[in-house]
Amino acid sequence: MNHFPEAWGRPRDDVYGAYNSSYLQTSGPKTHTSSPAVTGTSVIGVKFNGGVVLATDNLASYGSLARFTDVKRLRSFGDKAVVGFGGDVSDMQYIDRLLESIDIRENYSTHGNMLNAKNLHTYLAKVFYKRRSEFNPLWNHVLVAGFDGEGEPFLSSADLLGTTFSAPHLATGFGAHLAVPILRRVFPDEKPIEEISRDQAVAALKDCLKVLFYRDARSLDKYSIAVITKEGIDLKENEQLEGQSWAFAERIKGYGAQTN
Amino acid sequence: MFRNNYDNDAVTFSPQGRIFQVEYAQEAVKQGSVVVGLVNKTHAVLVGLKRNAEELSSYQKKIIEIDSHMAIAIAGLASDARVLSNFMKQQSLGSKMTYGRPIPLDRIVSQIGDRAQTNTQHYGKRPYGVGLLVAGVDEAGPHLFEFQPSGLTHEMVACAIGARSQMARTYLERNLDKFHDCSRDELINHGLRALKESLSQDKELTVDNTSVGVAGLAGEGTKGRFESFKLYEGQETVPLLEALERSEQSGTAEDETMEDS
């Protein structure tokens, strides 16, 4: 037996050879996250008459590997707001804990939770900006949905730099390229949100999710969708994309082993 | 000669279970000039009687705006009040900055309550020698809180602190049920009346010594939910004092107390 404690619990040198410690970083600067590890893809959202809909798929990818297929990326805050997370999943879980503790603190107030979606969005943008200023960003792009102080439907985004943006329909990640054009076609700028019904908004988001599943290689056909209205949050977390048609795929040329 | 052995610091109890330094601090509040606060279902009003140190000096400020939705009225050591009000301004600004919302009144009041309490439990510290009335409006409506040097805070419907404030409190107690549904102007009027009750014989309310502050919910058809805090001082108090005089002459409101005195 080897009586030197530093060798305990290690493979025996005489059997396996000396441990190659060059794999371990022993010196050098302290580093922060410089790229996300386990990631979620797009979040998409639309305002309609009397509320907001938010949707994500349930996938957490590890690089290009579809690693976790039942990750809930929509988190509700109280009964007034929902946050949809794209980007790093561990940072999402960290932010979720932050929101949890705020929710608990808020509810100790005698008048209950008074933070609305707009307040929440302001807060999250500040958190993102603080962390990026410390060169230790939270690697997310989020959509916050709910109601503002005037009781109007609210939808806005915040990203890892603390940049904020709001529009009647929004998408993060790949969705910003694939879903936004679809949403702009269905709900043109000149169409006021008062003319968009809940069913239209939900249907449009489902269409977008389908297109994203067709074309975004980091997406999944299992998704979550949250409808936020004055009555509360209707959150469904185990939905399946219906009516897929892959016929278009036949016509796609120019990939992989295919040469002509 | 009798000497109190238990008042050398704020951390030692007397055998009777009292903390004398805290009680002395409460005496300092009673030396300050009177301030009155009251709320109805839409507004919170602060009214204060300003004092000047001498004939040729300016009057000491009694009402300090913390943010556009709230203010404090002070009785006691004004310099201690400045410490507290600066802290409250910071907290309020912090809430606006991080959440984009005006800080809820109960939140900021419990924060100053906690601060004042720690002063009564650490050796070498002394309690704040000031009492506050905190009035303002938040998502839950208008509020009035009383703050004491002991760190005790209460939400109130109406309250008066400072020298001779008992007279003002008596007026408020007698007319309590009239406040809830009255208008903004009537609420100010009640506040001024309560203030006037506590004046000594040789004094009266003037444009120089009267301060009035109002926070409240915005009326119908206005932008934003809150009307921003309004402080009336100097010439701006003229219409309010005239309204006070008119209501006393016509006896519209509550003259029971007038007959008493």
Side-chain angles (χ1 to χ4, degrees):
Chain A
M1 157 142 195
N2 185 338
H3 293 281
F4 295 106
E6 61 270 24
W8 294 354
R10 296 249 171 89
R12 284 168 56 186
D13 286 356
D14 56 334
V15 178
Y16 297 98
Y19 183 72
N20 181 0
S21 56
S22 69
Y23 289 110
L24 302 172
Q25 193 181 26
T26 50
S27 63
K30 184 186 173 220
T31 54
H32 289 143
T33 317
S34 54
S35 66
V38 179
T39 59
T41 181
S42 324
V43 186
I44 50 181
V46 183
K47 283 200 240 183
F48 63 89
N49 187 12
V52 193
V53 209
L54 218 53
T56 62
D57 65 29
N58 289 354
L59 180 67
S61 309
Y62 182 59
S64 60
L65 172 70
R67 182 64 184 83
F68 304 104
T69 54
D70 58 348
V71 175
K72 314 294 189 275
R73 297 197 287 124
L74 295 180
R75 301 294 169 100
S76 51
F77 180 81
D79 52 359
K80 290 194 178 72
V82 176
V83 185
F85 290 89
D88 195 279
V89 170
S90 60
D91 286 352
M92 169 186 92
Q93 290 168 340
Y94 168 76
I95 293 170
D96 195 39
R97 288 198 292 276
L98 281 185
L99 296 182
E100 191 83 8
S101 65
I102 289 177
D103 194 27
I104 290 169
R105 196 177 67 217
E106 281 291 307
N107 279 296
Y108 273 109
S109 142
T110 45
H111 309 293
N113 189 347
M114 296 191 288
L115 281 180
N116 56 40
K118 194 175 182 188
N119 300 143
L120 201 60
H121 174 259
T122 310
Y123 169 75
L124 284 176
K126 295 289 185 315
V127 172
F128 283 130
Y129 184 69
K130 176 175 183 286
R131 289 292 295 262
R132 83 102 224 193
S133 300
E134 291 167 350
F135 289 94
N136 187 19
L138 290 166
W139 218 284
N140 297 102
H141 194 166
V142 301
L143 295 189
V144 184
F147 294 93
D148 65 13
E150 268 74 52
E152 295 295 318
F154 176 85
L155 176 64
S156 196
S157 78
D159 70 6
L160 73 168
L161 302 176
T163 315
T164 61
F165 192 76
S166 57
H169 35 67
L170 278 175
T172 75
F174 233 104
H177 302 96
L178 294 179
V180 167
I182 299 171
L183 293 170
R184 284 191 184 151
R185 193 180 66 231
V186 186
F187 308 122
D189 275 353
E190 54 274 18
K191 185 170 178 166
I193 62 162
E194 285 75 27
E195 286 175 21
I196 302 170
S197 73
R198 170 182 176 151
D199 292 344
Q200 282 173 321
V202 171
L205 282 200
K206 286 181 181 172
D207 276 350
C208 291
L209 285 168
K210 204 190 294 179
V211 170
L212 283 167
F213 182 53
Y214 289 153
R215 318 220 83 126
D216 177 1
R218 310 283 173 269
S219 68
L220 197 67
D221 55 352
K222 270 166 65 192
Y223 67 95
S224 304
I225 189 161
V227 183
I228 305 112
T229 56
K230 281 278 159 57
E231 283 71 53
I233 298 167
D234 178 19
L235 177 59
K236 294 207 255 324
E237 290 187 312
N238 280 304
E239 300 296 287
Q240 175 72 34
L241 273 183
E242 309 287 348
Q244 294 174 35
S245 165
W246 288 87
F248 73 95
E250 298 287 330
R251 302 193 301 274
I252 297 176
K253 290 191 191 296
Y255 286 100
Q258 185 186 43
T259 49
N260 53 355
Chain B
M1 198 184 129
F2 172 74
R3 198 174 159 276
N4 192 343
N5 289 316
Y6 296 97
D7 67 353
N8 289 313
D9 56 66
V11 300
T12 312
F13 278 109
S14 80
Q16 287 77 39
R18 297 162 62 179
I19 297 172
F20 283 103
Q21 281 298 326
V22 173
E23 293 183 23
Y24 298 161
Q26 268 151 347
E27 290 303 313
V29 177
K30 290 183 196 162
Q31 316 234 350
S33 67
V34 62
V35 285
V36 177
L38 58 172
V39 272
N40 66 8
K41 62 180 191 292
T42 54
H43 289 85
V45 169
L46 292 173
V47 181
L49 178 71
K50 289 185 289 187
R51 272 203 295 230
N52 53 348
E54 50 184 298
E55 198 60 18
L56 297 174
S57 77
S58 65
Y59 286 78
Q60 175 65 46
K61 210 157 117 185
K62 293 294 280 180
I63 299 175
I64 303 171
E65 178 174 348
I66 300 297
D67 201 342
S68 59
H69 72 297
M70 65 178 295
I72 58 171
I74 64 178
L77 295 181
S79 37
D80 282 14
R82 268 174 53 79
V83 173
L84 281 169
S85 68
N86 287 340
F87 171 75
M88 291 171 84
K89 283 173 185 175
Q90 273 184 16
Q91 294 298 314
S92 192
L93 212 56
S95 176
K96 279 250 172 83
M97 179 79 182
T98 44
Y99 300 102
R101 85 165 162 183
I103 195 166
L105 272 269
D106 61 339
R107 190 75 51 86
I108 195 163
V109 167
S110 64
Q111 280 175 347
I112 56 169
D114 292 349
R115 260 174 85 99
Q117 196 280 334
T118 48
N119 285 344
T120 68
Q121 225 180 1
H122 288 277
Y123 190 82
K125 290 190 180 260
R126 66 162 174 82
Y128 290 113
V130 70
L132 305 180
L133 294 179
V134 185
V137 60
D138 61 28
E139 290 294 319
H143 298 282
L144 173 69
F145 288 88
E146 181 195 4
F147 162 89
Q148 294 175 353
S150 58
L152 220 55
T153 59
H154 296 289
E155 176 148 24
M156 310 293 273
V157 177
C159 187
I161 55 173
R164 303 166 57 87
S165 59
Q166 183 53 51
M167 310 281 279
R169 271 201 300 283
T170 306
Y171 174 89
L172 295 172
E173 282 163 19
R174 289 204 179 150
N175 296 284
L176 200 59
D177 43 336
K178 291 168 187 150
F179 300 157
H180 185 71
D181 290 312
C182 75
S183 71
R184 183 184 190 274
D185 291 344
E186 282 166 344
L187 197 66
I188 294 172
N189 206 252
H190 280 301
L192 288 170
R193 280 181 163 229
L195 192 69
K196 200 169 183 183
E197 289 293 309
S198 70
L199 293 183
S200 55
Q201 288 290 323
D202 56 333
K203 271 206 181 133
E204 55 183 324
L205 292 178
T206 67
V207 291
D208 294 319
N209 69 10
T210 312
S211 265
V212 178
V214 187
L217 297 167
E220 295 291 317
T222 34
K223 194 163 157 49
R225 293 199 55 222
F226 305 149
E227 127 190 350
S228 66
F229 177 77
K230 172 72 183 151
L231 182 63
Y232 298 88
E233 281 191 309
Q235 288 306 310
E236 281 190 297
T237 60
V238 170
L240 306 179
L241 292 173
E242 282 174 358
L244 171 67
E245 207 168 320
R246 273 199 307 279
S247 73
E248 278 170 351
Q249 279 161 9
S250 63
T252 38
E254 324 68 46
D255 27 17
E256 316 136 27
T257 44
M258 310 307 291
E259 284 155 13
D260 286 355
S261 54

